[in-house]
PDB file of all heavy atoms in Angstrom:
ATOM      1  N   ASP N 638    -116.229  73.507 -93.743  1.00 98.00           N
ATOM      2  CA  ASP N 638    -115.013  72.785 -93.340  1.00 98.00           C
ATOM      3  C   ASP N 638    -113.887  73.747 -93.011  1.00 98.00           C
ATOM      4  O   ASP N 638    -113.130  73.555 -92.051  1.00 98.00           O
ATOM      5  CB  ASP N 638    -114.591  71.788 -94.415  1.00 98.00           C
ATOM      6  CG  ASP N 638    -114.270  72.441 -95.750  1.00 98.00           C
ATOM      7  OD1 ASP N 638    -114.874  73.476 -96.067  1.00 98.00           O
ATOM      8  OD2 ASP N 638    -113.422  71.904 -96.492  1.00 98.00           O
ATOM      9  N   ARG N 639    -113.753  74.826 -93.791  1.00 98.00           N
ATOM     10  CA  ARG N 639    -112.711  75.830 -93.499  1.00 98.00           C
ATOM     11  C   ARG N 639    -113.051  76.613 -92.239  1.00 98.00           C
ATOM     12  O   ARG N 639    -112.140  76.999 -91.486  1.00 98.00           O
ATOM     13  CB  ARG N 639    -112.545  76.788 -94.682  1.00 98.00           C
ATOM     14  CG  ARG N 639    -111.948  76.193 -95.939  1.00 98.00           C
ATOM     15  CD  ARG N 639    -110.613  75.543 -95.684  1.00 98.00           C
ATOM     16  NE  ARG N 639    -110.727  74.097 -95.547  1.00 98.00           N
ATOM     17  CZ  ARG N 639    -109.852  73.330 -94.962  1.00 98.00           C
ATOM     18  NH1 ARG N 639    -108.758  73.847 -94.416  1.00 98.00           N
ATOM     19  NH2 ARG N 639    -110.029  72.027 -94.891  1.00 98.00           N
ATOM     20  N   ALA N 640    -114.326  76.873 -91.999  1.00 98.00           N
ATOM     21  CA  ALA N 640    -114.717  77.573 -90.772  1.00 98.00           C
ATOM     22  C   ALA N 640    -114.291  76.772 -89.546  1.00 98.00           C
ATOM     23  O   ALA N 640    -113.674  77.294 -88.606  1.00 98.00           O
ATOM     24  CB  ALA N 640    -116.222  77.815 -90.757  1.00 98.00           C
ATOM     25  N   ILE N 641    -114.588  75.478 -89.568  1.00 98.00           N
ATOM     26  CA  ILE N 641    -114.239  74.607 -88.442  1.00 98.00           C
ATOM     27  C   ILE N 641    -112.734  74.485 -88.289  1.00 98.00           C
ATOM     28  O   ILE N 641    -112.170  74.663 -87.202  1.00 98.00           O
ATOM     29  CB  ILE N 641    -114.881  73.218 -88.633  1.00 98.00           C
ATOM     30  CG1 ILE N 641    -116.404  73.322 -88.499  1.00 98.00           C
ATOM     31  CG2 ILE N 641    -114.322  72.214 -87.634  1.00 98.00           C
ATOM     32  CD1 ILE N 641    -117.147  72.070 -88.932  1.00 98.00           C
ATOM     33  N   ASN N 642    -112.053  74.176 -89.380  1.00 98.00           N
ATOM     34  CA  ASN N 642    -110.615  73.938 -89.317  1.00 98.00           C
ATOM     35  C   ASN N 642    -109.836  75.195 -88.946  1.00 98.00           C
ATOM     36  O   ASN N 642    -108.808  75.126 -88.279  1.00 98.00           O
ATOM     37  CB  ASN N 642    -110.103  73.386 -90.642  1.00 98.00           C
ATOM     38  CG  ASN N 642    -110.546  71.948 -90.877  1.00 98.00           C
ATOM     39  OD1 ASN N 642    -111.452  71.484 -90.227  1.00 98.00           O
ATOM     40  ND2 ASN N 642    -109.926  71.261 -91.807  1.00 98.00           N
ATOM     41  N   THR N 643    -110.331  76.346 -89.396  1.00 98.00           N
ATOM     42  CA  THR N 643    -109.650  77.604 -89.064  1.00 98.00           C
ATOM     43  C   THR N 643    -109.846  77.940 -87.586  1.00 98.00           C
ATOM     44  O   THR N 643    -108.893  78.321 -86.897  1.00 98.00           O
ATOM     45  CB  THR N 643    -110.167  78.742 -89.959  1.00 98.00           C
ATOM     46  OG1 THR N 643    -109.981  78.383 -91.328  1.00 98.00           O
ATOM     47  CG2 THR N 643    -109.422  80.035 -89.684  1.00 98.00           C
ATOM     48  N   ALA N 644    -111.066  77.796 -87.082  1.00 98.00           N
ATOM     49  CA  ALA N 644    -111.319  78.037 -85.655  1.00 98.00           C
ATOM     50  C   ALA N 644    -110.529  77.048 -84.795  1.00 98.00           C
ATOM     51  O   ALA N 644    -110.137  77.364 -83.667  1.00 98.00           O
ATOM     52  CB  ALA N 644    -112.805  77.932 -85.359  1.00 98.00           C
ATOM     53  N   ASP N 645    -110.283  75.865 -85.324  1.00 97.00           N
ATOM     54  CA  ASP N 645    -109.555  74.817 -84.594  1.00 97.00           C
ATOM     55  C   ASP N 645    -108.081  75.161 -84.392  1.00 97.00           C
ATOM     56  O   ASP N 645    -107.393  74.499 -83.622  1.00 97.00           O
ATOM     57  CB  ASP N 645    -109.656  73.507 -85.390  1.00 97.00           C
ATOM     58  CG  ASP N 645    -109.957  72.312 -84.489  1.00 97.00           C
ATOM     59  OD1 ASP N 645    -110.273  72.516 -83.313  1.00 97.00           O
ATOM     60  OD2 ASP N 645    -109.878  71.181 -84.980  1.00 97.00           O
ATOM     61  N   ARG N 646    -107.589  76.199 -85.085  1.00 98.00           N
ATOM     62  CA  ARG N 646    -106.165  76.539 -85.038  1.00 98.00           C
ATOM     63  C   ARG N 646    -105.814  77.532 -83.929  1.00 98.00           C
ATOM     64  O   ARG N 646    -104.634  77.784 -83.698  1.00 98.00           O
ATOM     65  CB  ARG N 646    -105.722  77.139 -86.381  1.00 98.00           C
ATOM     66  CG  ARG N 646    -105.687  76.136 -87.505  1.00 98.00           C
ATOM     67  CD  ARG N 646    -105.474  76.814 -88.857  1.00 98.00           C
ATOM     68  NE  ARG N 646    -105.205  75.817 -89.891  1.00 98.00           N
ATOM     69  CZ  ARG N 646    -103.998  75.492 -90.337  1.00 98.00           C
ATOM     70  NH1 ARG N 646    -102.934  76.106 -89.871  1.00 98.00           N
ATOM     71  NH2 ARG N 646    -103.839  74.566 -91.252  1.00 98.00           N
ATOM     72  N   THR N 647    -106.799  78.106 -83.292  1.00 97.00           N
ATOM     73  CA  THR N 647    -106.484  79.124 -82.283  1.00 97.00           C
ATOM     74  C   THR N 647    -105.759  78.490 -81.092  1.00 97.00           C
ATOM     75  O   THR N 647    -105.979  77.321 -80.762  1.00 97.00           O
ATOM     76  CB  THR N 647    -107.751  79.839 -81.796  1.00 97.00           C
ATOM     77  OG1 THR N 647    -108.672  78.883 -81.270  1.00 97.00           O
ATOM     78  CG2 THR N 647    -108.403  80.612 -82.946  1.00 97.00           C
ATOM     79  N   VAL N 648    -104.907  79.294 -80.475  1.00 95.00           N
ATOM     80  CA  VAL N 648    -104.071  78.790 -79.380  1.00 95.00           C
ATOM     81  C   VAL N 648    -104.566  79.271 -78.012  1.00 95.00           C
ATOM     82  O   VAL N 648    -104.609  78.496 -77.054  1.00 95.00           O
ATOM     83  CB  VAL N 648    -102.608  79.230 -79.583  1.00 95.00           C
ATOM     84  CG1 VAL N 648    -101.725  78.751 -78.439  1.00 95.00           C
ATOM     85  CG2 VAL N 648    -102.066  78.713 -80.913  1.00 95.00           C
ATOM     86  N   PHE N 649    -104.967  80.536 -77.941  1.00 95.00           N
ATOM     87  CA  PHE N 649    -105.352  81.106 -76.643  1.00 95.00           C
ATOM     88  C   PHE N 649    -106.813  81.545 -76.600  1.00 95.00           C
ATOM     89  O   PHE N 649    -107.468  81.390 -75.577  1.00 95.00           O
ATOM     90  CB  PHE N 649    -104.453  82.303 -76.312  1.00 95.00           C
ATOM     91  CG  PHE N 649    -102.992  81.964 -76.252  1.00 95.00           C
ATOM     92  CD1 PHE N 649    -102.117  82.412 -77.227  1.00 95.00           C
ATOM     93  CD2 PHE N 649    -102.491  81.167 -75.229  1.00 95.00           C
ATOM     94  CE1 PHE N 649    -100.773  82.096 -77.183  1.00 95.00           C
ATOM     95  CE2 PHE N 649    -101.142  80.839 -75.181  1.00 95.00           C
ATOM     96  CZ  PHE N 649    -100.274  81.297 -76.165  1.00 95.00           C
ATOM     97  N   GLU N 650    -107.317  82.108 -77.682  1.00 96.00           N
ATOM     98  CA  GLU N 650    -108.696  82.603 -77.709  1.00 96.00           C
ATOM     99  C   GLU N 650    -109.514  81.688 -78.625  1.00 96.00           C
ATOM    100  O   GLU N 650    -109.222  81.568 -79.809  1.00 96.00           O
ATOM    101  CB  GLU N 650    -108.738  84.038 -78.220  1.00 96.00           C
ATOM    102  CG  GLU N 650    -107.984  85.008 -77.294  1.00 96.00           C
ATOM    103  CD  GLU N 650    -108.113  86.452 -77.750  1.00 96.00           C
ATOM    104  OE1 GLU N 650    -107.319  86.881 -78.604  1.00 96.00           O
ATOM    105  OE2 GLU N 650    -109.019  87.141 -77.248  1.00 96.00           O
ATOM    106  N   HIS N 651    -110.536  81.073 -78.045  1.00 96.00           N
ATOM    107  CA  HIS N 651    -111.266  80.034 -78.767  1.00 96.00           C
ATOM    108  C   HIS N 651    -112.733  80.395 -78.945  1.00 96.00           C
ATOM    109  O   HIS N 651    -113.306  81.165 -78.180  1.00 96.00           O
ATOM    110  CB  HIS N 651    -111.180  78.699 -78.025  1.00 96.00           C
ATOM    111  CG  HIS N 651    -109.773  78.294 -77.679  1.00 96.00           C
ATOM    112  ND1 HIS N 651    -108.804  78.107 -78.635  1.00 96.00           N
ATOM    113  CD2 HIS N 651    -109.174  78.054 -76.479  1.00 96.00           C
ATOM    114  CE1 HIS N 651    -107.666  77.765 -78.040  1.00 96.00           C
ATOM    115  NE2 HIS N 651    -107.871  77.723 -76.736  1.00 96.00           N
ATOM    116  N   ASP N 652    -113.329  79.799 -79.960  1.00 96.00           N
ATOM    117  CA  ASP N 652    -114.770  79.889 -80.185  1.00 96.00           C
ATOM    118  C   ASP N 652    -115.255  78.475 -80.498  1.00 96.00           C
ATOM    119  O   ASP N 652    -115.191  78.030 -81.636  1.00 96.00           O
ATOM    120  CB  ASP N 652    -115.080  80.849 -81.335  1.00 96.00           C
ATOM    121  CG  ASP N 652    -116.580  80.996 -81.570  1.00 96.00           C
ATOM    122  OD1 ASP N 652    -117.358  80.249 -80.942  1.00 96.00           O
ATOM    123  OD2 ASP N 652    -116.978  81.846 -82.410  1.00 96.00           O
ATOM    124  N   PHE N 653    -115.754  77.785 -79.465  1.00 96.00           N
ATOM    125  CA  PHE N 653    -116.169  76.403 -79.665  1.00 96.00           C
ATOM    126  C   PHE N 653    -117.498  76.295 -80.394  1.00 96.00           C
ATOM    127  O   PHE N 653    -117.831  75.222 -80.917  1.00 96.00           O
ATOM    128  CB  PHE N 653    -116.207  75.660 -78.328  1.00 96.00           C
ATOM    129  CG  PHE N 653    -114.902  74.970 -78.022  1.00 96.00           C
ATOM    130  CD1 PHE N 653    -113.702  75.661 -78.119  1.00 96.00           C
ATOM    131  CD2 PHE N 653    -114.860  73.636 -77.676  1.00 96.00           C
ATOM    132  CE1 PHE N 653    -112.490  75.035 -77.864  1.00 96.00           C
ATOM    133  CE2 PHE N 653    -113.657  72.999 -77.418  1.00 96.00           C
ATOM    134  CZ  PHE N 653    -112.464  73.688 -77.514  1.00 96.00           C
TER     135      PHE N 653
END
Side-chain angles (χ1 to χ4, degrees):
D638 61 329
R639 291 304 100 201
I641 292 169
N642 289 16
T643 303
D645 224 10
R646 290 170 170 261
T647 58
V648 178
F649 301 110
E650 297 184 274
H651 308 300
D652 181 353
F653 268 50

